[in-house]
Amino acid sequence: MSGKCNIIYTATKIPFVRKENTGEKIMSELHIIDHPLIVHKLSIMRNRKTGSKDFRELLNEIAMLMGYEVTRDLPLEDITIETPICKMKAKTLSGKKLAIVPILRAGLGMVDGLLALVPVAKVGHIGLYRDPETHQPHEYYCKLPADIDNRLVILIDPMLATGGSSSDALTMLKNHGCRNIRLMCLVSAPEGVKKVQEDHPDVPIYTADREILKRITGFELTRGALSAMYRPKQQPISELLKNAKRVAVLEEIADSTNVGAIFR
């Protein structure tokens, strides 16, 4: 079965379509949010001179800016309000509100930015880890709002690399009855996008940049390697090796989880 991917550089929504009569499957939308402010802030975040405080603040700001596009087509309904002059018809969000679900731990860094935009949204959490031998996902934490099946869910995974964690988290949400889900990523790699679109063609993906993981490193990285975490000040080589008795040079490691396995 062949497939096509809708890549959208604007906020225009293209509906998910499946052409059953031709056997052709059109994948879910890929929204690339390339607003100048987001591009500018991403550049500052990538600068090695950017400290942890500024990094976290920029991440929150980008999350809020991305939130405008992720929520652009929320349904509205008419209500009657009373202004200082008269009564009038006004618009308000229709139905249940939002649920924000970050994948622990990296996803936590983008939650506050969305909550600043939609403070009434409920927040859930999903924790996943992969067995270093079988590479199968294991759930270690899942706490979701009781009415999450009636809400629009924004799943946050800042680094969409291989797509495994995002795909598994989406499956967990669907097992809890969620049918209206959007995946929000800071950066993404083509392999991760393809994985999610093949496993969940009904879930649109919103990302601020593609392929950055591969461009930075020259090879594929999993999400954890570049997570939004504390970044200590880089030491000079002389200081780093001052008390070292052995030096290990690790090459051609495409999966950062293998580093831990090597040392174990």
Side-chain angles (χ1 to χ4, degrees), residues 33 35 37-42 44-45 50 53-69 108-117 184 186 208:
I33 306 172
H35 191 284
L37 285 176
I38 293 179
V39 174
H40 170 73
K41 292 176 186 296
L42 266 176
I44 300 175
M45 287 180 65
T50 300
K53 177 178 179 295
D54 292 335
F55 186 93
R56 288 192 294 267
E57 291 176 352
L58 288 164
L59 186 61
N60 276 329
E61 292 170 4
I62 291 176
M64 184 168 64
L65 290 171
M66 291 183 68
Y68 282 104
E69 299 297 344
L108 291 173
M110 301 181 74
V111 172
D112 288 344
L114 284 178
L115 284 177
L117 187 65
M184 177 172 149
L186 183 64

Short mmCIF file of all heavy atoms in Angstrom, two decimals, residues 33 35 37-42 44-45 50 53-69 108-117 184 186 208:
data_model
loop_
_atom_site.label_atom_id
_atom_site.label_comp_id
_atom_site.label_asym_id
_atom_site.label_seq_id
_atom_site.Cartn_x
_atom_site.Cartn_y
_atom_site.Cartn_z
N ILE A 33 5.64 24.32 11.71
CA ILE A 33 5.38 25.68 12.18
C ILE A 33 6.69 26.47 12.08
O ILE A 33 7.56 26.39 12.95
CB ILE A 33 4.85 25.67 13.62
CG1 ILE A 33 3.63 24.75 13.72
CG2 ILE A 33 4.49 27.07 14.07
CD1 ILE A 33 3.15 24.53 15.14
N HIS A 35 7.19 29.83 12.00
CA HIS A 35 7.04 31.25 12.32
C HIS A 35 8.41 31.86 12.63
O HIS A 35 9.24 31.21 13.29
CB HIS A 35 6.10 31.41 13.52
CG HIS A 35 5.68 32.82 13.77
ND1 HIS A 35 6.51 33.76 14.35
CD2 HIS A 35 4.51 33.46 13.53
CE1 HIS A 35 5.87 34.91 14.45
NE2 HIS A 35 4.66 34.76 13.96
N LEU A 37 9.47 33.98 14.78
CA LEU A 37 9.81 34.03 16.20
C LEU A 37 10.26 32.66 16.71
O LEU A 37 11.19 32.56 17.52
CB LEU A 37 8.62 34.53 17.01
CG LEU A 37 8.32 36.03 16.93
CD1 LEU A 37 7.05 36.35 17.71
CD2 LEU A 37 9.49 36.83 17.48
N ILE A 38 9.60 31.61 16.23
CA ILE A 38 9.99 30.26 16.65
C ILE A 38 11.36 29.91 16.10
O ILE A 38 12.22 29.36 16.81
CB ILE A 38 8.94 29.23 16.19
CG1 ILE A 38 7.62 29.47 16.94
CG2 ILE A 38 9.43 27.81 16.43
CD1 ILE A 38 6.50 28.52 16.53
N VAL A 39 11.59 30.23 14.83
CA VAL A 39 12.90 29.96 14.22
C VAL A 39 14.00 30.71 14.96
O VAL A 39 15.07 30.17 15.24
CB VAL A 39 12.88 30.37 12.73
CG1 VAL A 39 14.26 30.24 12.12
CG2 VAL A 39 11.87 29.51 11.96
N HIS A 40 13.73 31.96 15.32
CA HIS A 40 14.70 32.79 16.04
C HIS A 40 15.01 32.19 17.41
O HIS A 40 16.19 32.06 17.80
CB HIS A 40 14.13 34.21 16.18
CG HIS A 40 14.91 35.08 17.11
ND1 HIS A 40 16.16 35.60 16.78
CD2 HIS A 40 14.64 35.52 18.37
CE1 HIS A 40 16.61 36.32 17.80
NE2 HIS A 40 15.72 36.29 18.77
N LYS A 41 13.98 31.81 18.14
CA LYS A 41 14.19 31.27 19.49
C LYS A 41 14.87 29.90 19.46
O LYS A 41 15.67 29.57 20.34
CB LYS A 41 12.85 31.20 20.22
CG LYS A 41 12.26 32.57 20.55
CD LYS A 41 10.89 32.46 21.18
CE LYS A 41 10.25 33.82 21.36
NZ LYS A 41 11.00 34.69 22.29
N LEU A 42 14.57 29.11 18.44
CA LEU A 42 15.24 27.83 18.29
C LEU A 42 16.74 28.03 18.07
O LEU A 42 17.57 27.27 18.59
CB LEU A 42 14.64 27.06 17.12
CG LEU A 42 13.53 26.06 17.44
CD1 LEU A 42 12.99 25.46 16.14
CD2 LEU A 42 14.02 24.96 18.35
N ILE A 44 18.59 30.42 19.20
CA ILE A 44 19.21 30.77 20.49
C ILE A 44 19.35 29.52 21.35
O ILE A 44 20.37 29.31 22.02
CB ILE A 44 18.38 31.84 21.21
CG1 ILE A 44 18.30 33.12 20.35
CG2 ILE A 44 19.00 32.17 22.56
CD1 ILE A 44 17.40 34.19 20.94
N MET A 45 18.33 28.68 21.36
CA MET A 45 18.39 27.46 22.16
C MET A 45 19.55 26.56 21.73
O MET A 45 20.18 25.91 22.56
CB MET A 45 17.08 26.69 22.04
CG MET A 45 15.91 27.31 22.78
SD MET A 45 14.40 26.34 22.60
CE MET A 45 14.87 24.83 23.45
N THR A 50 24.12 29.22 25.34
CA THR A 50 22.84 29.44 26.04
C THR A 50 22.80 28.61 27.32
O THR A 50 22.99 27.40 27.28
CB THR A 50 21.66 29.07 25.14
OG1 THR A 50 21.70 29.88 23.97
CG2 THR A 50 20.34 29.26 25.86
N LYS A 53 18.89 28.30 32.32
CA LYS A 53 17.76 29.18 32.62
C LYS A 53 17.14 29.71 31.33
O LYS A 53 15.92 29.65 31.14
CB LYS A 53 18.20 30.32 33.51
CG LYS A 53 17.10 31.34 33.84
CD LYS A 53 17.62 32.43 34.76
CE LYS A 53 16.53 33.46 35.06
NZ LYS A 53 16.14 34.20 33.84
N ASP A 54 17.97 30.26 30.45
CA ASP A 54 17.46 30.79 29.19
C ASP A 54 16.88 29.68 28.32
O ASP A 54 15.88 29.88 27.62
CB ASP A 54 18.58 31.50 28.43
CG ASP A 54 19.02 32.78 29.13
OD1 ASP A 54 18.21 33.35 29.88
OD2 ASP A 54 20.18 33.20 28.93
N PHE A 55 17.50 28.50 28.35
CA PHE A 55 17.02 27.36 27.57
C PHE A 55 15.59 27.01 27.96
O PHE A 55 14.72 26.83 27.12
CB PHE A 55 17.94 26.17 27.78
CG PHE A 55 17.64 24.98 26.91
CD1 PHE A 55 18.28 24.80 25.69
CD2 PHE A 55 16.71 24.02 27.30
CE1 PHE A 55 18.02 23.71 24.88
CE2 PHE A 55 16.44 22.93 26.51
CZ PHE A 55 17.09 22.77 25.30
N ARG A 56 15.34 26.91 29.27
CA ARG A 56 13.99 26.55 29.74
C ARG A 56 12.98 27.64 29.40
O ARG A 56 11.84 27.34 29.01
CB ARG A 56 14.03 26.30 31.25
CG ARG A 56 14.73 25.02 31.66
CD ARG A 56 14.47 24.71 33.12
NE ARG A 56 15.07 25.70 33.99
CZ ARG A 56 16.29 25.60 34.52
NH1 ARG A 56 17.03 24.54 34.23
NH2 ARG A 56 16.77 26.53 35.32
N GLU A 57 13.37 28.90 29.55
CA GLU A 57 12.45 29.99 29.24
C GLU A 57 12.11 30.01 27.75
O GLU A 57 10.95 30.22 27.37
CB GLU A 57 13.07 31.32 29.67
CG GLU A 57 13.16 31.48 31.18
CD GLU A 57 13.85 32.77 31.59
OE1 GLU A 57 14.39 33.46 30.68
OE2 GLU A 57 13.86 33.09 32.79
N LEU A 58 13.09 29.80 26.91
CA LEU A 58 12.85 29.77 25.46
C LEU A 58 11.96 28.60 25.09
O LEU A 58 11.08 28.72 24.22
CB LEU A 58 14.18 29.67 24.71
CG LEU A 58 15.04 30.95 24.72
CD1 LEU A 58 16.47 30.61 24.30
CD2 LEU A 58 14.44 31.99 23.79
N LEU A 59 12.15 27.46 25.74
CA LEU A 59 11.32 26.29 25.47
C LEU A 59 9.86 26.58 25.80
O LEU A 59 8.95 26.21 25.04
CB LEU A 59 11.83 25.10 26.26
CG LEU A 59 11.16 23.75 25.99
CD1 LEU A 59 11.36 23.34 24.53
CD2 LEU A 59 11.73 22.68 26.92
N ASN A 60 9.62 27.25 26.92
CA ASN A 60 8.26 27.62 27.29
C ASN A 60 7.65 28.58 26.27
O ASN A 60 6.48 28.44 25.89
CB ASN A 60 8.26 28.27 28.68
CG ASN A 60 8.21 27.26 29.79
OD1 ASN A 60 7.64 26.19 29.64
ND2 ASN A 60 8.81 27.59 30.92
N GLU A 61 8.44 29.56 25.84
CA GLU A 61 7.94 30.54 24.88
C GLU A 61 7.59 29.88 23.54
O GLU A 61 6.56 30.18 22.93
CB GLU A 61 8.99 31.64 24.67
CG GLU A 61 9.19 32.51 25.91
CD GLU A 61 10.40 33.42 25.78
OE1 GLU A 61 11.03 33.42 24.70
OE2 GLU A 61 10.72 34.13 26.75
N ILE A 62 8.45 28.97 23.08
CA ILE A 62 8.17 28.27 21.83
C ILE A 62 6.93 27.41 21.96
O ILE A 62 6.11 27.33 21.03
CB ILE A 62 9.39 27.43 21.41
CG1 ILE A 62 10.54 28.35 20.99
CG2 ILE A 62 9.03 26.49 20.26
CD1 ILE A 62 11.82 27.62 20.65
N ALA A 63 6.78 26.75 23.10
CA ALA A 63 5.60 25.91 23.32
C ALA A 63 4.32 26.74 23.22
O ALA A 63 3.32 26.30 22.63
CB ALA A 63 5.68 25.22 24.68
N MET A 64 4.34 27.94 23.79
CA MET A 64 3.16 28.80 23.72
C MET A 64 2.89 29.25 22.29
O MET A 64 1.74 29.24 21.83
CB MET A 64 3.32 30.01 24.63
CG MET A 64 2.08 30.91 24.68
SD MET A 64 2.14 32.14 26.00
CE MET A 64 3.54 33.11 25.47
N LEU A 65 3.94 29.60 21.56
CA LEU A 65 3.77 30.02 20.16
C LEU A 65 3.25 28.87 19.31
O LEU A 65 2.38 29.06 18.45
CB LEU A 65 5.11 30.53 19.61
CG LEU A 65 5.61 31.86 20.17
CD1 LEU A 65 7.03 32.13 19.71
CD2 LEU A 65 4.69 33.00 19.77
N MET A 66 3.76 27.68 19.53
CA MET A 66 3.27 26.52 18.80
C MET A 66 1.82 26.22 19.16
O MET A 66 1.04 25.75 18.33
CB MET A 66 4.14 25.29 19.09
CG MET A 66 5.55 25.37 18.52
SD MET A 66 6.51 23.86 18.81
CE MET A 66 5.60 22.70 17.76
N GLY A 67 1.47 26.50 20.40
CA GLY A 67 0.11 26.25 20.85
C GLY A 67 -0.93 27.00 20.05
O GLY A 67 -2.06 26.52 19.86
N TYR A 68 -0.59 28.20 19.57
CA TYR A 68 -1.52 28.96 18.75
C TYR A 68 -1.90 28.18 17.49
O TYR A 68 -3.05 28.20 17.05
CB TYR A 68 -0.91 30.31 18.35
CG TYR A 68 -0.94 31.35 19.44
CD1 TYR A 68 0.21 31.67 20.15
CD2 TYR A 68 -2.12 32.00 19.77
CE1 TYR A 68 0.18 32.62 21.16
CE2 TYR A 68 -2.16 32.95 20.78
CZ TYR A 68 -1.00 33.26 21.47
OH TYR A 68 -1.03 34.20 22.47
N GLU A 69 -0.93 27.51 16.88
CA GLU A 69 -1.20 26.76 15.66
C GLU A 69 -1.89 25.43 15.96
O GLU A 69 -2.78 25.00 15.21
CB GLU A 69 0.10 26.51 14.89
CG GLU A 69 0.81 27.78 14.45
CD GLU A 69 -0.03 28.59 13.46
OE1 GLU A 69 -1.00 28.05 12.90
OE2 GLU A 69 0.29 29.78 13.27
N LEU A 108 7.88 17.59 29.95
CA LEU A 108 7.48 18.53 31.00
C LEU A 108 7.90 19.96 30.69
O LEU A 108 7.26 20.92 31.10
CB LEU A 108 8.08 18.10 32.34
CG LEU A 108 7.52 16.82 32.96
CD1 LEU A 108 8.33 16.45 34.19
CD2 LEU A 108 6.05 17.00 33.32
N GLY A 109 8.99 20.11 29.95
CA GLY A 109 9.52 21.44 29.67
C GLY A 109 8.63 22.29 28.80
O GLY A 109 8.83 23.51 28.73
N MET A 110 7.64 21.69 28.14
CA MET A 110 6.76 22.46 27.25
C MET A 110 5.36 22.64 27.82
O MET A 110 4.52 23.30 27.19
CB MET A 110 6.69 21.78 25.88
CG MET A 110 8.04 21.64 25.19
SD MET A 110 7.96 20.87 23.56
CE MET A 110 7.25 22.19 22.57
N VAL A 111 5.10 22.06 28.98
CA VAL A 111 3.75 22.11 29.55
C VAL A 111 3.37 23.52 29.97
O VAL A 111 2.27 24.01 29.68
CB VAL A 111 3.63 21.14 30.74
CG1 VAL A 111 2.29 21.33 31.46
CG2 VAL A 111 3.77 19.70 30.26
N ASP A 112 4.26 24.21 30.68
CA ASP A 112 3.93 25.54 31.20
C ASP A 112 3.61 26.52 30.08
O ASP A 112 2.77 27.41 30.24
CB ASP A 112 5.07 26.07 32.06
CG ASP A 112 5.17 25.35 33.40
OD1 ASP A 112 4.19 24.69 33.78
OD2 ASP A 112 6.22 25.45 34.05
N GLY A 113 4.29 26.38 28.95
CA GLY A 113 4.01 27.27 27.83
C GLY A 113 2.59 27.12 27.32
O GLY A 113 1.91 28.10 27.01
N LEU A 114 2.12 25.87 27.24
CA LEU A 114 0.73 25.64 26.81
C LEU A 114 -0.26 26.06 27.88
O LEU A 114 -1.33 26.59 27.57
CB LEU A 114 0.54 24.15 26.47
CG LEU A 114 1.14 23.68 25.15
CD1 LEU A 114 0.92 22.18 24.98
CD2 LEU A 114 0.54 24.43 23.97
N LEU A 115 0.08 25.84 29.15
CA LEU A 115 -0.83 26.24 30.22
C LEU A 115 -0.96 27.75 30.30
O LEU A 115 -2.01 28.27 30.70
CB LEU A 115 -0.34 25.69 31.56
CG LEU A 115 -0.57 24.20 31.79
CD1 LEU A 115 0.03 23.77 33.12
CD2 LEU A 115 -2.06 23.86 31.75
N ALA A 116 0.08 28.47 29.93
CA ALA A 116 -0.02 29.94 29.90
C ALA A 116 -1.03 30.37 28.85
O ALA A 116 -1.69 31.40 28.99
CB ALA A 116 1.35 30.54 29.61
N LEU A 117 -1.16 29.57 27.81
CA LEU A 117 -2.11 29.88 26.73
C LEU A 117 -3.51 29.40 27.08
O LEU A 117 -4.50 30.09 26.82
CB LEU A 117 -1.63 29.21 25.43
CG LEU A 117 -2.39 29.52 24.15
CD1 LEU A 117 -2.24 30.99 23.80
CD2 LEU A 117 -1.87 28.65 23.02
N MET A 184 2.55 17.08 19.40
CA MET A 184 3.31 18.32 19.32
C MET A 184 4.77 18.05 19.64
O MET A 184 5.09 17.52 20.71
CB MET A 184 2.72 19.36 20.29
CG MET A 184 3.46 20.67 20.35
SD MET A 184 2.52 21.84 21.35
CE MET A 184 3.84 22.82 22.04
N LEU A 186 8.96 19.59 19.30
CA LEU A 186 9.82 20.73 19.03
C LEU A 186 10.59 20.51 17.74
O LEU A 186 10.59 21.35 16.84
CB LEU A 186 10.79 20.96 20.20
CG LEU A 186 11.70 22.17 20.08
CD1 LEU A 186 10.89 23.46 20.06
CD2 LEU A 186 12.71 22.19 21.23
N ALA A 208 8.25 22.15 14.98
CA ALA A 208 8.87 23.43 14.63
C ALA A 208 10.02 23.26 13.66
O ALA A 208 10.41 24.20 12.99
CB ALA A 208 9.37 24.14 15.90
#
